[in-house]
Every structure is written in structure tokens, then in C-alpha cells.
Amino acid sequence: MPLVIGKYGWMKGIHLLWSLSNESLTSITDSYLEQLLKDSQELHDQRYRLKKESRPNGQEQSSGPQQVHGDTANVNTEPLSQSNLLGEKPWFQSNDASVVPLYISEATCAAFATRLCQSLKGTNMPIPHLPRSRYTDESAISSSLYTDVQWPGLTALGHIIPSFHLALKKDTLDMLHGVYQRGDFDNPSIKCKYFALFAIAQVFSTPHDLSDTSSVPGLAYFAKAWSLIQVVPERPNMIHIESLLLLAFFCQFLNRFHSAYVLIGNALRLGLSIGLNYNIPQTQNLHPVAREHRIRIWWTIYVLDRFWGSKSGFPVQIHDEDIHVDPPSISASETYHDQFSDGAYQVAAIELAKIIGDTTGEIYCRKISAETFLHREQRLLTQLKQWVRSLPEHLRLSAEKPNPKHTVQMHLQFNFCVILAIRPVLLHVLTLKMKNQTKQSMDSISPILITLSEACIHAARHSLALCVNEWTGGSLAIFGYSFPAFLFSAALILMISSLLPLGDPSDLTSAETATEILKNLSLSDSLASRDLYERMQRVRQCLHDSPIYSTSALSHGPVDNVTNMLPMGEESDSESLRPHQSPNNLQSTMGPLEDLGHPLFESNVPYLTTEMALHQPTMLDFLTQSHVDIGLLDPVEMFNDFDLAFSMSST
């Protein structure tokens, strides 16, 4: 019986084999199987010819073997596009066939560090991706369940930083007083919520003690709350959703990205089930505090979803068109100041979270877009420019007085969003520089790409200045994820800047300052800092071994000894940069925090912000170009060929 394999030949063949009886299966001859393989090969060759003929200009594809794991970004001369940025295939890491491969998002700082190492190497040799290996695993959480924890004093909740609306302030304290008065310490829902609150309070109130690195503070309370939470209640209530948010927020201290993402997803879907994304009609006669609480809890879900999305590269779990609820009320903060924190801050955080979600979705996702890459860059930077201009005065950075911690963190998040949007362009410029190391001029680079790169470098310098100011003032969070991520992302950009004519060699010294702070944070058992410090050490080694290093200004001049400032290994007898000490190496290269001494900065502005980079003449020209002009930019290539080898672990 002849067998013809056409468009659906394999499917028909499978159905045929399933329909055969056992006797028929044993009668299949060797020649029949050989014919099957021959027809299959002919079909494969035919499809290859058709695909080859359909390529424009007869563009060839490499006939070499495909990587089993890893992602390869094509070298081409197409305009900046999603294919240039992300490559043809999703990026997975998998060396162990017995373990499920894990997705690596190009939006993560770890992925960008691996790309940077590949570019610095200047070859197509595989560069191993360093996985996220330091996190509190399930066994450590389970063992903490047996730790005896007590209900702490009523003052414990005073240490929680009010960056997010996680619970009503007065009602939470009143309920806690009632628990103590009644001696009702066994209610599972209440116990879960307060143990999660106590965990956050403990981690924020723990002093900087490098001698005790046994575990993350608050882990025992977290483990108790974790064991009490019900994942899928059929009738959720606000206390349950609050508990999910508190646990998701604490996951940053344990470096557990996936757990946080799942917890936020559960809170989101339970919120949808009770309609948190809609306004409750006035006919429901709900108390204004309860109404505003619903609104703010929803927007906290939204902000945390975007927060983890920007740090871990996960897609947002709900889109703006599905949200029909009012923003937080500023007047409610004034009328019920004992229940709600500053409404203006909440609104600004929500708007910034929206832009961050758009950035990861527009720059790093694989959806097909009718817009060019630079057009999307233009729209995102315009949104960021409008956001910072709309800030009320009390949420702007001040040079005259200390800035509140949550305000500093919001501006660092703004800088991070600028870096996240532009750093693929900066890496592309470095790749072009690597191709011709003898040229110091940037004449061959499009002025728009230079403008974008300068804005990215500006944001990194300002982020580092803010982080150093927090560190030397003793207010930088030891165990959180945000500040280490801000330091790490800024340091990577400054390393690139030190190699480019549009940057400054002294930026490498500033990057070393960030590395030293990460080292000190890692000594306090900050799991995120340990991971990021290890990645930074690998990038530094790649920089030192890079062929561009020997031809750059880094190999001689005033920063000649910069690679010897810090050891390549974990151990060091050198003096570490400690809190409350003046970071001399930063001041010598960047100047005082009020004047970083760079041509991009305007000396008549009392306190430098990344907003200034968005007001440079060339940037303003870019932001006001028409869509047609954007589409007529000179074609550029985004990345070199990247062959990436991975080890099996979590991202």
C-alpha cells in the first residue's frame, strides 16, 4: 500500500498506524519504513526550498545545526525591530532533560548582563548565563514552620514603609488591639494577615548586622503565614486578598520571583471575582473608607504586577482596557489621613507602573507591531517626560532637605524605566564599536541613537548618585530587591559608557562604587545582592578580558588602576565602602551629588534629574518627529550573533 506524505502527511500516517491491528503492525516491512523516511525527507527539502525562495533578496539562512537551547539574535541590516532585539526563538535554559526548562526574559537585568558579556567577548563563542541560584527554597520555608514565634508588641507595625497600600492603617491597628484584648490568637485569616505584616515589619526594622547571616529576618513569620493562606477560596474577602499581597511583597526579600508572580496572580483573579476593577455603584451605600480601600487594594495589585514584571520580565497579568475603577482619591487621604497614605503618591506610582508595563510589553515582547522600534521608543519616552512633569512639588527631589525614602525609590524606578527602554540601543552602539575598535569617532552612528544612548547613561549616573546618597546616609534597604537592582542596572550602563566616546572612562570607577555597595549588601545575606554581585563580578572579568579594553582609555590615564580597586573574587582585605562614609571614588569622578560635572548636565539646575536628559535639544527633536520621519531612519542592526550556553537552574 503506497503512502503519500503531503501537507498533512504525518498526521494521516499517525492515524493510519493507530488504526492498524497488532498483526498489521508486525507486517510492516523494512522497505515500507525506508519509503516513509524518504518521503519525509523529500517533504522537508521541499519546505526548505519554498521558505528560501520566499525570503527577500535571496537572503540565506545558516545551514549549520541549531542550538538545542539558547537564543540566537540574527545579524541583519533591517531597521530596529522586535526580531533584532529578541531573536527568532524564545530563550530557555536547559541542560538537564529531567527538569522543566525555564524561560529567560530579555527584559531582566541578568539577561542583559549575559548579552553584555557576549558583546564584550567580541566572538560568537557561547557565554554561559548565570542563573538565579540564591533564593529561599521550599525546604527552608518548611523548616521555619517549626520555629517558635510569638505575637510581637503592638509597635511592630510602625516599621512598615507605606510605599504601597497594603491595608487600612487605623483599622489594622484597631483589629490588632482587639486580638490582644480578646486573646483571640487562633483565627486563621487574622493570624495569616498579621504574621505577614510582622514579617515585613521585622525585615525593615532589623539593624545592619553583618555578624548574623543565618536567615532573612521575618522568615519564621512568613512561613507561618504561608502555611495558613488558602490559595483558592470560593468566597474571597478583603483580608485574604491583603494577605496575598503582603506575602507577595515579602517574596522580594527571599528572592522568589516565581512565587511573587503567582501570589499576585491569585490576588488579581480573586479581585476580579469580587469586581475590584469596577466602581461600586453609590446605591450599594458602602462607607467611603471601605470604598476607597477597595480602590487602593486593586491599584496595589496593579502596581505590584508591573513591579515584578519590570524586574523579572514576566508579562502583565491584566491590561488597562479591562480596568474601569477610579484612581485613588487624593481627598480621601486628607479626610481619612489615619487610614490612607498620600493619594498623590499613589496616583504617581500607578501612572509610572503603567509606563513600566508598556515598556516591557512594547520593547521586550514578541508581538508583531506595525510601528518601528524607534517609534515605540519615542512614545515611551514621551510618556516618561510627561509623567515627571506632572509630579506635584512634594514628590519632586529636593536638594534643600532630605527626601522621603519612598520618593527616592519612585525616582529610582523612573530612572530604571528609562534605562530599561533604552539599554538595547546602548548595547547595539557598543556592538558597533566592537566591530571597529580603532575608531574612536561616533560619526557612523545615527545621531538619534547617540541621543538615546546619552539619555540612558544620564539616567544611570543619576540612579547611582541617589543610591550612594541613600547608602552613605544609612537608609538604603539591606534585604529588599529594588535598591540592589537599581545599583546593578546602573553599573552595567556605566561600564558600557566607559568604553564609548560618547561616555566617559571615569564612569567605570562609578560602576566599581556600585559593585562595592553590592558586595557589602551581600555580606548581610541579602540574597538578591549576592546573585547580582556574582553577575557583576563575571561582567567585570569579561570587561577586563575584552579586546576593546586594551584599546580604550581605560587601559591608561587616571583610571588605569580601576580594575584593581576591587578583587575579582569574593574575599578581600581591601577597605570596603561602609554606610556613613564618604564614597571618595564616586566623588572624585562624579563630583558632588548636586553637580555631576558632565556635559549633559545643566549646571544651573540645583538638583539633577533624568528629566534633564529628556529636555536636551536632540532628544526634544527626536520626541517631536513625525511617524514618517521615524520610519525613514537609517537601518541598523541591534545585536551581534549571540550563541548562549546555559546551566539548569531558576532565572
Side-chain angles (χ1 to χ4, degrees):
M1 180 179 62
L3 180 64
V4 178
I5 300 182
K7 183 176 181 182
Y8 300 102
W10 271 113
M11 186 176 297
K12 293 179 180 178
I14 291 173
H15 284 295
L16 175 62
L17 290 176
W18 275 109
S19 63
L20 293 175
S21 64
N22 292 334
E23 294 180 358
S24 299
L25 286 173
T26 57
S27 65
I28 296 179
T29 64
D30 290 342
S31 60
Y32 183 78
L33 292 175
E34 290 174 359
Q35 182 64 38
L36 185 69
L37 294 173
K38 180 179 178 181
D39 292 341
S40 174
Q41 183 62 42
E42 290 178 355
L43 175 64
H44 179 272
D45 294 342
Q46 181 182 8
R47 288 178 175 174
Y48 177 80
R49 287 193 300 270
L50 291 174
K51 187 176 181 180
K52 179 179 177 182
E53 292 171 359
S54 65
R55 292 196 188 98
N57 302 325
Q59 188 179 10
E60 294 286 343
Q61 182 177 1
S62 172
S63 60
Q66 296 289 329
Q67 293 290 328
V68 176
H69 48 264
D71 159 57
T72 302
N74 291 337
V75 173
N76 56 56
T77 56
E78 295 297 323
L80 290 173
S81 65
Q82 224 65 10
S83 61
N84 302 126
L85 178 61
L86 302 180
E88 288 187 346
K89 298 179 180 179
W91 180 356
F92 287 86
Q93 58 175 13
S94 174
N95 280 343
D96 188 347
S98 65
V99 182
V100 176
L102 290 176
Y103 174 65
I104 308 293
S105 171
E106 297 280 3
T108 62
C109 290
F112 183 76
T114 301
R115 294 297 197 193
L116 175 55
C117 286
Q118 176 68 72
S119 182
L120 289 172
K121 195 173 182 66
T123 69
N124 290 330
M125 295 298 293
I127 294 292
H129 175 75
L130 292 182
R132 177 172 54 92
S133 59
R134 292 181 175 88
Y135 59 91
T136 304
D137 59 18
E138 285 71 25
S139 62
I141 296 175
S142 298
S143 63
S144 297
L145 283 173
Y146 302 101
T147 303
D148 185 24
V149 295
Q150 303 295 328
W151 286 73
L154 294 174
T155 60
L157 299 183
H159 295 285
I160 296 179
I161 298 177
S163 298
F164 303 101
H165 178 81
L166 299 169
L168 290 168
K169 293 189 289 185
K170 181 178 181 298
D171 286 4
T172 298
L173 290 174
D174 288 347
M175 182 181 289
L176 186 59
H177 277 283
V179 169
Y180 276 93
Q181 290 173 359
R182 298 188 306 270
D184 183 15
F185 298 108
D186 297 321
N187 185 304
S189 298
I190 295 177
K191 194 174 182 180
C192 177
K193 173 181 175 178
Y194 282 100
F195 276 6
L197 281 167
F198 295 151
I200 297 173
Q202 188 172 17
V203 77
F204 277 128
S205 60
T206 299
H208 303 172
D209 183 8
L210 302 185
S211 62
D212 181 14
T213 59
S214 56
S215 64
V216 176
L219 178 59
Y221 284 119
F222 173 85
K224 295 289 186 182
W226 182 273
S227 67
L228 292 168
I229 194 72
Q230 184 182 355
V231 178
V232 191
E234 183 59 27
R235 290 287 186 267
N237 54 41
M238 294 302 292
I239 289 182
H240 183 86
I241 295 177
E242 290 170 12
S243 299
L244 287 170
L245 294 179
L246 291 165
L247 291 173
F249 182 78
F250 191 85
C251 280
Q252 66 171 304
F253 308 114
L254 306 179
N255 211 24
R256 291 177 62 94
F257 290 178
H258 299 151
S259 297
Y261 191 64
V262 171
L263 289 167
I264 289 297
N266 286 339
L268 171 64
R269 281 151 184 78
L270 292 176
L272 292 173
S273 71
I274 60 175
L276 291 185
N277 58 322
Y278 289 95
N279 290 316
I280 287 188
Q282 294 295 330
T283 55
Q284 291 290 329
N285 198 27
L286 196 65
H287 191 278
V289 170
R291 185 182 299 274
E292 181 68 13
H293 180 48
R294 284 175 54 95
I295 291 173
R296 294 204 180 196
I297 283 293
W298 169 260
W299 286 116
T300 295
I301 294 173
Y302 181 92
V303 170
L304 288 179
D305 178 45
R306 268 67 178 170
F307 169 85
W308 284 112
S310 67
K311 301 299 186 295
S312 58
F314 300 140
V316 299
Q317 301 182 75
I318 189 168
H319 297 286
D320 293 334
E321 56 265 27
D322 299 318
I323 302 173
H324 310 282
V325 66
D326 292 336
S329 170
I330 297 177
S331 62
S333 304
E334 301 169 353
T335 307
Y336 305 100
H337 58 85
D338 55 348
Q339 296 279 25
F340 303 107
S341 57
D342 183 11
Y345 173 84
Q346 303 295 326
V347 171
I350 292 166
E351 291 300 317
L352 184 58
K354 179 182 183 302
I355 300 173
I356 290 175
D358 291 344
T359 301
T360 55
E362 293 290 340
I363 303 299
Y364 295 96
C365 81
R366 294 180 175 275
K367 66 182 179 182
I368 299 176
S369 176
E371 298 175 326
T372 65
F373 175 82
L374 289 179
H375 181 205
R376 282 169 279 163
E377 288 277 339
Q378 181 196 49
R379 186 174 64 253
L380 291 169
L381 293 176
T382 300
Q383 292 175 352
L384 287 166
K385 181 172 174 286
Q386 293 171 346
W387 177 87
V388 78
R389 292 183 62 181
S390 67
L391 286 177
E393 188 62 32
H394 73 284
L395 293 180
R396 296 180 180 273
L397 293 173
S398 172
E400 309 300 329
K401 58 183 179 179
N403 292 288
K405 188 180 186 67
H406 60 276
T407 301
V408 174
Q409 181 151 342
M410 183 171 63
H411 283 270
L412 283 168
Q413 188 77 340
F414 166 74
N415 290 347
F416 177 78
C417 190
V418 173
I419 292 172
L420 185 68
I422 304 178
R423 66 187 180 188
V425 175
L426 186 65
L427 185 59
H428 166 67
V429 172
L430 175 65
T431 301
L432 296 180
K433 178 69 170 63
M434 290 290 298
K435 287 184 175 180
N436 193 346
Q437 300 170 24
T438 61
K439 284 188 177 180
Q440 294 298 320
S441 173
M442 304 297 290
D443 294 342
S444 60
I445 308 297
S446 166
I448 288 181
L449 298 186
I450 293 178
T451 297
L452 292 173
S453 299
E454 289 174 338
C456 188
I457 294 169
H458 186 124
R461 288 176 180 150
H462 186 238
S463 285
L464 181 57
L466 290 175
C467 286
V468 168
N469 197 40
E470 292 291 292
W471 174 253
T472 55
S475 58
L476 192 149
I478 292 293
F479 296 100
Y481 180 81
S482 294
F483 276 110
F486 295 144
L487 282 166
F488 183 74
S489 62
L492 293 178
I493 299 305
L494 294 177
M495 281 187 174
I496 298 176
S497 172
S498 68
L499 299 170
L500 299 175
L502 60 88
D504 194 319
S506 63
D507 281 334
L508 182 57
T509 310
S510 301
E512 295 294 348
T513 298
T515 304
E516 182 72 350
I517 296 177
L518 279 175
K519 176 184 176 183
N520 279 274
L521 289 173
S522 67
L523 294 176
S524 297
D525 205 36
S526 169
L527 299 176
S529 297
R530 281 181 149 191
D531 261 344
L532 296 176
Y533 178 66
E534 180 182 355
R535 291 189 178 103
M536 185 61 70
Q537 293 292 74
R538 202 271 290 271
V539 175
R540 293 168 75 244
Q541 185 64 61
C542 290
L543 172 65
H544 185 73
D545 298 339
S546 173
I548 195 175
Y549 177 81
S550 59
T551 61
S552 68
L554 300 178
S555 60
H556 51 77
V559 291
D560 177 58
N561 64 342
V562 72
T563 55
N564 298 320
M565 288 176 52
L566 298 174
M568 284 300 181
E570 291 284 343
E571 301 298 329
S572 171
D573 296 329
S574 63
E575 183 67 20
S576 295
L577 187 66
R578 302 292 184 184
H580 307 291
Q581 288 183 330
S582 176
N584 294 327
N585 53 344
L586 180 75
Q587 297 292 340
S588 64
T589 59
M590 297 181 71
L593 296 185
E594 292 81 6
D595 185 1
L596 303 190
H598 190 272
L600 281 176
F601 302 147
E602 300 175 12
S603 58
N604 61 337
V605 177
Y607 196 90
L608 298 172
T609 67
T610 304
E611 179 184 7
M612 293 168 47
L614 303 180
H615 284 84
Q616 296 298 312
T618 51
M619 176 61 76
L620 290 175
D621 182 57
F622 168 63
L623 295 180
T624 56
Q625 286 188 43
S626 67
H627 297 177
V628 176
D629 292 334
I630 291 293
L632 294 177
L633 291 174
D634 293 335
V636 294
E637 56 185 356
M638 180 61 78
F639 287 116
N640 275 338
D641 278 336
F642 288 110
D643 285 332
L644 298 157
F646 311 108
S647 58
M648 187 59 216
S649 184
S650 65
T651 59

